[in-house]
Amino acid sequence: MTAEYVGLGDWTPEALEVAGEVRPVVVAPDPVLSRPGPEVDPTSDEVVRLAADLIATMRVSPGCVGLAAPQVGVGAQVFAVNVTGHPKAVTVHGTFVLCNAKVVEATRWKAGREGCMSVPDLTGDVKRASRLVVEGVLPGTGVPVRLVTDGFEARALQHEIDHCAGLLFLDRVAGAHSVYQRKVYL
């Protein structure tokens, strides 16, 4: 039996009904970042708490538009995204968390610069789909979701799905010529 996928509907982080705690972000070469995380039970208390913690950590991290479970030291297919207010964002679904997400359609490939809290000193040019369809499950409710997005939000989703698969953006760059020292502005 296949699940009937819907959009986010009226899901908000408050649906988790638990206050998240800020967790430390792990940095490369921590081994959790290079191991594929297992699928999770999105209705388990542990996953609901993890989802709330990802949102809490993301909210206190300047410039953060996404955070995956491996980045807080947990090997699991769970991530949070929020591109609201980002100057490159066109389609914006607000703050949401997905479990066990998979890309089901990816088109219009474009290169773009990416950074990552787990690779704090570098950025890189990564080719990603700029139109994306992703299926996953909402934590807490277990409702299957199908999101259609584009542009910057599509890039953020692919970046976080890669984290859940044990990949960093550095694994996707074309070569050393596509990696740059992160600029720090005073």
Side-chain angles (χ1 to χ4, degrees), residues 1-8 10-12 15-16 40-45 47-48 51 97-101 135-146:
M1 179 175 172
T2 59
E4 184 175 329
Y5 289 90
V6 297
L8 291 173
D10 60 359
W11 190 92
T12 65
L16 297 171
V40 298
D41 172 359
T43 61
S44 76
D45 290 344
V47 170
V48 169
V97 179
L98 289 181
C99 302
N100 310 327
E135 292 176 350
V137 183
L138 291 172
T141 65
V143 172
V145 173
R146 181 181 177 100

Side-chain angles (χ1 to χ4, degrees), residues 10-177:
D10 60 359
W11 190 92
T12 65
E14 289 72 30
L16 297 171
E17 297 182 345
V18 62
E21 295 181 12
V22 175
R23 295 194 188 193
V25 174
V26 299
V27 296
D30 191 300
V32 72
L33 296 170
S34 59
R35 285 193 298 260
E39 288 196 355
V40 298
D41 172 359
T43 61
S44 76
D45 290 344
E46 182 178 276
V47 170
V48 169
R49 169 140 325 270
L50 174 60
D53 291 353
L54 288 171
I55 291 169
T57 305
M58 192 170 66
R59 285 182 172 159
V60 301
S61 304
C64 181
V65 296
L67 191 65
Q71 292 181 273
V72 294
V74 180
Q77 292 187 32
V78 182
F79 65 83
V81 167
N82 182 10
V83 299
T84 303
H86 193 282
K88 293 182 181 177
V90 177
T91 301
V92 176
H93 285 93
T95 302
F96 62 92
V97 179
L98 289 181
C99 302
N100 310 327
K102 304 279 185 257
V103 173
V104 295
E105 187 180 322
T107 57
R108 299 188 212 149
W109 295 82
K110 294 181 181 173
R113 187 69 54 93
E114 291 185 22
C116 180
M117 289 173 44
S118 293
V119 186
D121 299 326
L122 302 172
T123 63
D125 293 333
V126 180
K127 194 170 187 181
R128 302 251 192 216
S130 62
R131 185 183 181 288
L132 196 69
V133 180
V134 171
E135 292 176 350
V137 183
L138 291 172
T141 65
V143 172
V145 173
R146 181 181 177 100
L147 286 182
V148 178
T149 191
D150 58 18
F152 189 73
E153 189 176 70
R155 179 170 295 279
L157 281 163
Q158 291 166 90
H159 181 106
E160 301 312 325
I161 289 170
D162 272 358
H163 273 302
C164 293
L167 298 171
L168 295 171
F169 76 88
L170 294 172
D171 297 311
R172 299 272 188 203
V173 297
H177 63 280

